[in-house]
Amino acid sequence: MNDLKKMLLDGAGELGIALDNTAADKLLVYKDFLKEYNQKVNLTSIVDDEGIIVKHFLDSLTLLGEIGVAGSTSIIDIGTGAGFPGLVIKIAREDVSLTLVDSTMKKVRFLEEAAKLLSLKNVSCIHARAEELIRQKPEYREGFDYVTARAVTRLPKLSKYCLPYVKLGGEFIAMKGRNYTEELEEARRIVKNLGGEVWDIKEITLPNSDIVHSLIKIRKII
Ligand code: SAH
C-alpha cells in the first residue's frame, strides 16, 4: 500500500470512521484530478498531497459519523467549492443522494467532471447562489435530510442560507474552526426564527495535525 493511502486509512481509523478500500482508491484519484485541474483553474490553495488528505479529505470525513445510515439519505452541500465536504462524503457513502451547490461556474464544471471520472451516481452539481436557489426550486425547500457547509460564511448568514433546505427532523451541520462561540451566539436568534435548534457541537482534532475543527449541529424542529 502506498504511503498516502495508508495516511488516509490510518487517519480515518483514528477518527473512528470506516473507510473501505474502494473509497480510499477513489479519493486518491480525486486528489490527483484536483491537483491536475488546479494547475489550469484555481480551485483550492491546498495543493500538496498531505494537505489534501488531512485538510480536505479527513476533515470532510469527520461528518460521516453524523450522517444516518438509513437508505435514501439526501444531502445538499452549500458553497461546496471543489467538493468539500459533499463529494468526499459521497465517495465514502455511495448510497447517499447528493446535491452540490456553488456560485462559481468553474467549480461546478470541475465537480461535474470529477463525479463522472469517479463514476458516482445521484450527484447533481448546481451553479447558483444558495439564497436564490431556494426560490427557484420550491421542491428544495425542506427537501434534504442534511445540509452541510464548510468555510462559506459566518454562521448567522450561513444559517439563513442553509436552514430553509432542511427537512423537519433533519439537520444543518456547519463545519467551523476552533473559535465559533461568538458567531454561534450571534446566530442563535436567527436559528430559532427559522425553526432550528442548536443541539450538539463536536470538537475534533484532525489526524497528523494540531488543527481543531468543530461541527455545529442544528436540527430543524419546527
Ligand atoms: N466548502 C469548500 C469551499 C469553501 S470556499 C471548502 O471548504 O473547501 C466558499 C465557496 O462558497 C466558494 O466556492 C464560493 O464560490 C461559494 N459561495 C459563496 N457564497 C455562496 C452562495 N451564496 N451560494 C453558493 N455558493 C457560495
Side-chain angles (χ1 to χ4, degrees):
M1 193 191 303
N2 78 32
D3 290 351
L4 295 174
K5 188 165 170 184
K6 190 170 174 342
M7 185 189 292
L8 188 53
L9 289 170
D10 289 353
E14 240 178 82
L15 292 168
I17 286 158
L19 188 68
D20 68 30
N21 203 44
T22 315
D25 286 338
K26 281 197 177 185
L27 284 170
L28 295 177
V29 173
Y30 179 16
K31 171 186 72 64
D32 289 340
F33 185 57
L34 175 66
K35 282 173 69 176
E36 181 198 318
Y37 208 97
N38 205 59
Q39 288 178 355
K40 302 172 286 175
V41 177
N42 185 25
L43 300 166
T44 174
S45 57
I46 298 168
V47 289
D48 61 301
D49 288 326
E50 181 171 347
I52 294 174
I53 287 176
V54 176
K55 295 183 191 149
H56 283 327
F57 293 170
L58 292 174
D59 187 37
S60 298
L61 287 170
T62 60
L63 276 185
L64 263 193
E66 316 304 321
I67 306 290
V69 288
S72 75
T73 300
S74 56
I75 301 180
I76 187 166
D77 188 24
I78 300 292
T80 189
F84 309 117
L87 205 55
V88 177
I89 301 293
K90 174 70 183 173
I91 291 168
R93 278 278 307 272
E94 290 208 19
D95 60 303
V96 155
S97 115
L98 176 68
T99 304
L100 297 170
V101 180
D102 203 278
S103 55
T104 306
M105 190 60 198
K106 62 182 184 181
K107 295 185 177 171
V108 178
R109 289 246 160 79
F110 165 78
L111 296 166
E112 282 166 348
E113 286 192 42
K116 196 165 155 207
L117 175 71
L118 298 165
S119 313
L120 299 170
K121 305 277 180 294
N122 290 323
V123 179
S124 330
C125 306
I126 301 183
H127 175 226
R129 298 193 64 82
E131 63 277 32
E132 290 166 9
L133 184 65
I134 197 79
R135 292 197 295 270
Q136 291 155 2
K137 295 233 186 212
E139 69 274 25
Y140 280 11
R141 187 170 290 276
E142 300 197 7
F144 297 86
D145 297 308
Y146 297 94
V147 181
T148 57
R150 187 183 83 158
V152 179
T153 186
R154 295 180 79 250
L155 204 53
K157 197 168 167 194
L158 193 61
S159 300
K160 272 192 210 159
Y161 287 177
C162 293
L163 264 168
Y165 290 91
V166 187
K167 277 186 193 170
L168 192 61
E171 280 174 32
F172 159 42
I173 309 179
M175 305 184 76
K176 289 282 165 186
R178 196 192 291 259
N179 302 316
Y180 55 83
T181 320
E182 203 182 334
E183 54 182 299
L184 179 60
E185 287 320 309
E186 279 175 42
R188 279 193 194 275
R189 191 176 44 83
I190 291 163
V191 167
K192 188 160 179 262
N193 288 343
L194 290 168
E197 174 190 61
V198 179
W199 74 282
D200 196 14
I201 297 168
K202 289 199 170 164
E203 290 182 8
I204 298 160
T205 305
L206 296 184
N208 287 349
S209 79
D210 52 8
I211 303 169
V212 177
H213 276 185
S214 46
L215 302 179
I216 316 271
K217 302 175 64 172
I218 299 175
R219 192 151 42 189
K220 178 91 143 226
I221 53 167
I222 300 170

